[in-house]
């Protein structure tokens, strides 16, 4: 089981980025996939999750209305579209999965992170 996050970079406040999470070794259709982020010196924070075998999604309050999580089963990918980015969104972003369908379960597998920097 492997997850690989990509798509991070430097963007100005108000800009957009789309992060991708590619799954290898399993079909992510039936698994919950979460995005977390971490700033140095702080705990890892859950950002968003999409339930397995469902289009049900969850978001942390600070990103509601700005971020959208989605899944492309044909490509075995999950995306995080991030709009109206703010400096507080600066972090390393990780995708993760419990290999179960529920977002309420703690992740068992983590991908390497991708750095998002929001700065002018």
């Amino acid at each position: 089981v492997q997850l690989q996050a990509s798509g991070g970079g430097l963007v100005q406040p108000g800009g957009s980025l789309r992060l991708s999470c590619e799954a290898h070794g399993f079909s992510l259709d039936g698994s919950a996939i979460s995005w977390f982020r971490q700033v140095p010196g702080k705990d890892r924070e859950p950002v968003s999750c999409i339930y397995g075998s469902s289009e049900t999604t969850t978001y942390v309050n600070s990103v509601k209305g700005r971020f959208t999580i989605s899944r492309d089963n044909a490509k075995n990918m999950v995306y995080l579209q991030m709009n109206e980015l703010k400096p507080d969104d600066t972090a390393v972003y990780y995708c993760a999965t419990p290999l179960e369908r529920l977002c309420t379960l703690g992740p068992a597998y983590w991908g390497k992170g991708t750095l998002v920097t929001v700065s002018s």
Side-chain angles (χ1 to χ4, degrees), residues 42-81:
K42 294 189 177 182
D43 291 337
R44 197 168 290 186
E45 173 189 39
V47 175
S48 182
C49 184
I50 185 166
Y51 278 70
S53 302
S54 172
E55 296 305 309
T56 302
T57 58
T58 65
Y59 299 92
V60 67
N61 284 340
S62 60
V63 308
K64 283 182 180 178
R66 300 189 297 122
F67 290 12
T68 302
I69 190 171
S70 62
R71 179 172 49 218
D72 185 333
N73 293 331
K75 295 182 179 180
N76 220 29
M77 301 274 282
V78 167
Y79 304 101
L80 185 68
Q81 177 67 42

Side-chain angles (χ1 to χ4, degrees), residues 24-118:
H24 298 278
F26 73 103
S27 173
L28 54 74
D29 181 21
S31 298
I33 303 294
S34 294
W35 286 97
F36 289 75
R37 64 187 179 187
Q38 188 169 27
V39 176
K42 294 189 177 182
D43 291 337
R44 197 168 290 186
E45 173 189 39
V47 175
S48 182
C49 184
I50 185 166
Y51 278 70
S53 302
S54 172
E55 296 305 309
T56 302
T57 58
T58 65
Y59 299 92
V60 67
N61 284 340
S62 60
V63 308
K64 283 182 180 178
R66 300 189 297 122
F67 290 12
T68 302
I69 190 171
S70 62
R71 179 172 49 218
D72 185 333
N73 293 331
K75 295 182 179 180
N76 220 29
M77 301 274 282
V78 167
Y79 304 101
L80 185 68
Q81 177 67 42
M82 306 187 297
N83 299 327
E84 300 174 35
L85 283 161
K86 304 175 181 180
D88 284 349
D89 296 318
T90 296
V92 177
Y93 285 71
Y94 301 87
C95 57
T97 181
L99 281 189
E100 302 284 348
R101 63 172 299 272
L102 299 178
C103 287
T104 50
L105 298 174
Y109 297 90
W110 295 83
K112 292 183 179 180
T114 185
L115 175 63
V116 173
T117 304
V118 184

